[in-house]
Amino acid sequence: MSQTENTDLQVVCESTGSRPAADIEWNVGGRWQSSNPTEVKVMDSATETYTVTSTLSLRVTRPDNGKSVYCRASNRALSGGTESAHQTITVLYPPDIYISYTNVTYTSPYRMFTCSPDGNPAIYQFGQWRHTAEDGTLIRQFTGISSSTESILTLPDTDVTRRYEDTGYYICSASNGIPVSASYTFGSVFFVVGAPPVIITNTTVVEEKIGNNVTLEVEFYSRPEARPDTVTWTTGGSDGSLSVGRSFTSVDQRTFIMSFHGVEVQAKGYVATLIIRNVMDVDFGNYTVMIENIFGRRNHTLALTKRDQPSPPLYFLQKDVTGSSITVQWIPGSNGGMTQSFVISYKSDVSKDFTELNAIPDNMESVMSYKIDGLKENMAYSIRIHTQNDIGQSDQISITVSTSENCYQEPNSTIAALISVSVFCIVGFVVALVVIVVINRRSSTGCHKRKDSIEHHNEEEMKQVAFSEEAMVKDRDQNSQCHYQDLNPNEIQPASTYERLSRVEIDVGTEQERSHYESLKGDLAKQEYEELTAGGSKYANT
């Protein structure tokens, strides 16, 4: 009378030695069966008695387990009226899994689950507990404390700020050998740890162009669920309010990737959105969203910055020159908040049009360089560069370099090169001053020249001195200078004392000023020159 659920059970009742043949009836669980039995009657000729065999077919299910099946036989010769027999049905079935637990908050370190299967037979083998995300991704597995009837899982404690990661499905598996010993039945529950909101968005800067619409989004995870009235946006302005009529906020559900106990899973969360239409200058700045639930609040700040066309490169110089190539270098300027590239074009002094090279992507290095090949020897070339991004392009800056120039280059020696230029310039300046003084003295001792001619001559000489000095430090006019040293942004220093002196408009029209400049050719000039040549000179980085 033992049968696996949802299968047919054949029950046979046999009556012997009756005359006349017995009539057999069936009762299952208190209900008489009017159909289904099959009956066979066989007479024994020696005794003239009958054997009657009745077969009842039952489709058994779990509710049939424990029911009694009665067989009753009767004929007119039976003084008591009937004879009967009964058996109890045993239905075998795999277990249903029942898990008891209680949702907790992030402040509780104790989290326990009890797995109590319900099957027949009621002796079980338990598999490992599994913790999965809402999308079914396996996060962790545990071995519970098990007996033959139940399994208990106690979660290991974790940092209080990460206890929300215990949220998810917990699955218990058990087997009682039905239908086969290798078959396990699974049951699961969704466990929730209430905690303050968790900000998922890592973005801190959003770039946009004036006149466009901008969308600021902050993704967050929250148990319990978030509501629009628990999410607030503010700005960095005086009163923190958003621009009226051009700002719109919303809170929507979203599925995104986040980490639960080191495993990347898809989780159901939310996105707080701020839309600003027709962005103006006053809209650029910081925007902070505050998200709150019953367990706490969190905030996140986004900086809205302006996207624009890029700035021109800085310090566009030649780095190396051969008979057929020129290598240029530059320091990238502002990219306007977007990916930028550099466009170099060149032409010789006998060419009409510029040859434009392919755009050079910004490699994010502090100093960039490019080698222009295929040039002619002993030829002067105008080389220009501009920067471009999706918004537009910068102004162009240019230099003129000749392939006939063979200036000495000491590799990676920016400081040494600058010291050499400074020494050359100070010597030239002293010589110029000496010439001016000699001319003035000659004028005062009988050289018969017109005063206005002398002053004009002096003025032209001073302009030439100033022009030479300016040409050595100005990066857009470098027709005859050697800039073979490597650029180093960290070595760029403010203008030296000498540079400031060279920019002063010198008037030698008075005796006092002539005496002052005359004295420069003496000890003071010598002192300046010695300081320049000494190690650690104050002009070393000029």
Side-chain angles (χ1 to χ4, degrees):
M1 297 293 290
S2 179
Q3 189 69 21
T4 303
E5 69 172 343
N6 300 321
T7 59
D8 291 332
L9 173 65
Q10 303 295 323
V11 185
V12 178
C13 181
E14 185 178 77
S15 168
T16 60
S18 66
R19 189 175 56 191
D23 296 319
I24 297 178
E25 297 175 291
W26 292 91
N27 184 294
V28 178
R31 298 182 61 183
W32 293 101
Q33 305 296 305
S34 59
S35 61
N36 190 31
T38 61
E39 194 172 81
V40 176
K41 297 180 180 180
V42 178
M43 186 184 72
D44 185 351
S45 59
T47 60
E48 296 183 352
T49 59
Y50 289 86
T51 298
V52 180
T53 303
S54 179
T55 303
L56 177 66
S57 181
L58 296 175
R59 186 78 169 180
V60 295
T61 60
R62 293 190 186 195
D64 295 328
N65 185 51
K67 287 183 179 180
S68 294
V69 177
Y70 286 86
C71 169
R72 184 175 67 181
S74 64
N75 68 3
R76 64 178 180 272
L78 191 60
S79 60
T82 62
E83 290 286 352
S84 65
H86 74 277
Q87 292 282 358
T88 300
I89 300 175
T90 299
V91 180
L92 305 177
Y93 51 89
D96 286 334
I97 305 296
Y98 296 95
I99 302 174
S100 58
Y101 71 103
T102 302
N103 287 329
V104 298
T105 69
Y106 75 107
T107 59
S108 173
Y110 186 72
R111 298 164 312 284
M112 187 178 75
F113 305 84
T114 301
C115 179
S116 302
D118 177 20
N120 191 27
I123 298 176
Y124 309 102
Q125 295 289 331
F126 292 92
Q128 283 193 308
W129 286 81
R130 301 174 65 195
H131 174 204
T132 70
E134 295 178 69
D135 66 345
T137 301
L138 178 63
I139 299 174
R140 300 177 291 176
Q141 294 190 93
F142 304 97
T143 299
I145 300 175
S146 304
S147 65
S148 61
T149 58
E150 67 179 10
S151 178
I152 298 174
L153 169 64
T154 301
L155 294 181
D157 193 18
T158 186
D159 181 73
V160 65
T161 61
R162 297 182 55 198
R163 287 177 183 166
Y164 72 90
E165 296 179 17
D166 289 342
T167 297
Y169 288 100
Y170 286 83
I171 303 169
C172 173
S173 60
S175 174
N176 62 355
I178 304 298
V180 294
S181 60
S183 298
Y184 278 79
T185 302
F186 298 88
S188 66
V189 293
F190 189 74
F191 176 66
V192 175
V193 178
V198 180
I199 303 296
I200 305 301
T201 297
N202 294 322
T203 302
T204 57
V205 177
V206 177
E207 299 159 342
E208 193 49 77
K209 186 179 179 182
I210 288 181
N212 287 355
N213 298 336
V214 65
T215 300
L216 306 181
E217 291 186 342
V218 175
E219 293 178 330
F220 64 96
Y221 175 84
S222 178
R223 295 284 183 176
E225 297 181 352
R227 304 187 313 274
D229 60 344
T230 62
V231 177
T232 306
W233 286 89
T234 57
T235 71
S238 57
D239 60 355
S241 60
L242 304 176
S243 56
V244 178
R246 294 188 297 111
S247 300
F248 307 90
T249 63
S250 64
V251 177
D252 303 290
Q253 289 189 345
R254 176 178 292 182
T255 298
F256 45 75
I257 302 296
M258 62 185 301
S259 176
F260 275 57
H261 296 288
V263 178
E264 298 295 320
V265 302
Q266 286 188 337
K268 293 180 180 179
Y270 304 87
V271 55
T273 304
L274 169 62
I275 298 176
I276 304 174
R277 295 179 178 173
N278 189 24
V279 173
M280 303 178 180
D281 269 326
V282 296
D283 296 323
F284 295 108
N286 291 335
Y287 290 82
T288 300
V289 60
M290 181 175 293
I291 304 164
E292 185 175 8
N293 64 21
I294 61 175
F295 298 109
R297 64 176 62 179
R298 297 290 184 268
N299 58 63
H300 185 74
T301 299
L302 294 171
L304 178 59
T305 61
K306 185 187 300 184
R307 287 199 306 175
D308 206 346
Q309 64 187 32
S311 300
L314 307 174
Y315 299 93
F316 185 46
L317 309 171
Q318 67 186 62
K319 180 181 180 182
D320 191 19
V321 174
T322 68
S324 61
S325 69
I326 298 174
T327 301
V328 293
Q329 61 181 346
W330 65 93
I331 298 175
S334 170
N335 62 10
M338 304 181 68
T339 302
Q340 67 178 353
S341 59
F342 304 92
V343 179
I344 294 176
S345 57
Y346 67 94
K347 77 177 187 69
S348 68
D349 56 0
V350 297
S351 300
K352 180 179 179 181
D353 300 320
F354 278 86
T355 298
E356 186 172 287
L357 304 174
N358 293 332
I360 305 167
D362 189 351
N363 61 10
M364 308 308 292
E365 296 291 337
S366 59
V367 177
M368 294 184 62
S369 63
Y370 187 84
K371 183 178 181 180
I372 306 172
D373 288 311
L375 305 180
K376 296 181 180 180
E377 293 188 47
N378 302 318
M379 186 73 70
Y381 285 89
S382 295
I383 306 172
R384 64 189 186 187
I385 187 173
H386 71 265
T387 311
Q388 62 186 21
N389 62 16
D390 289 344
I391 301 297
Q393 67 180 43
S394 70
D395 294 335
Q396 293 182 335
I397 57 176
S398 63
I399 58 174
T400 301
V401 185
S402 175
T403 52
S404 64
E405 293 183 4
N406 292 305
C407 297
Y408 172 74
Q409 175 185 7
E410 183 180 349
N412 301 318
S413 183
T414 303
I415 296 177
L418 290 174
I419 291 176
S420 299
V421 172
S422 299
V423 171
F424 172 77
C425 293
I426 192 67
V427 171
F429 180 63
V430 172
V431 171
L433 290 177
V434 171
V435 171
I436 292 171
V437 173
V438 170
I439 291 174
N440 286 330
R441 287 184 174 180
R442 290 180 62 185
S443 174
S444 62
T445 57
C447 291
H448 300 288
K449 290 188 179 181
R450 292 176 55 196
K451 179 179 180 181
D452 56 347
S453 175
I454 294 172
E455 290 178 350
H456 175 73
H457 182 71
N458 290 342
E459 181 180 357
E460 289 298 316
E461 287 186 340
M462 291 307 296
K463 286 183 178 178
Q464 290 175 10
V465 172
F467 176 79
S468 298
E469 170 60 11
E470 183 178 1
M472 283 185 285
V473 297
K474 188 172 183 181
D475 54 358
R476 294 196 183 185
D477 188 8
Q478 304 171 41
N479 296 346
S480 61
Q481 303 307 314
C482 296
H483 296 279
Y484 292 175
Q485 72 277 7
D486 286 332
L487 280 172
N488 186 342
N490 295 325
E491 295 177 356
I492 297 174
Q493 301 291 337
S496 67
T497 304
Y498 170 69
E499 286 178 304
R500 292 194 297 271
L501 276 172
S502 67
R503 296 170 187 162
V504 176
E505 294 295 334
I506 303 173
D507 183 1
V508 294
T510 65
E511 185 63 28
Q512 181 180 359
E513 289 175 334
R514 283 199 298 272
S515 300
H516 171 68
Y517 286 108
E518 182 176 323
S519 66
L520 284 174
K521 69 180 182 180
D523 295 339
L524 178 58
K526 180 179 179 182
Q527 178 183 350
E528 291 285 12
Y529 177 77
E530 289 175 349
E531 289 180 353
L532 279 170
T533 58
S537 169
K538 67 180 179 180
Y539 301 113
N541 290 327
T542 302

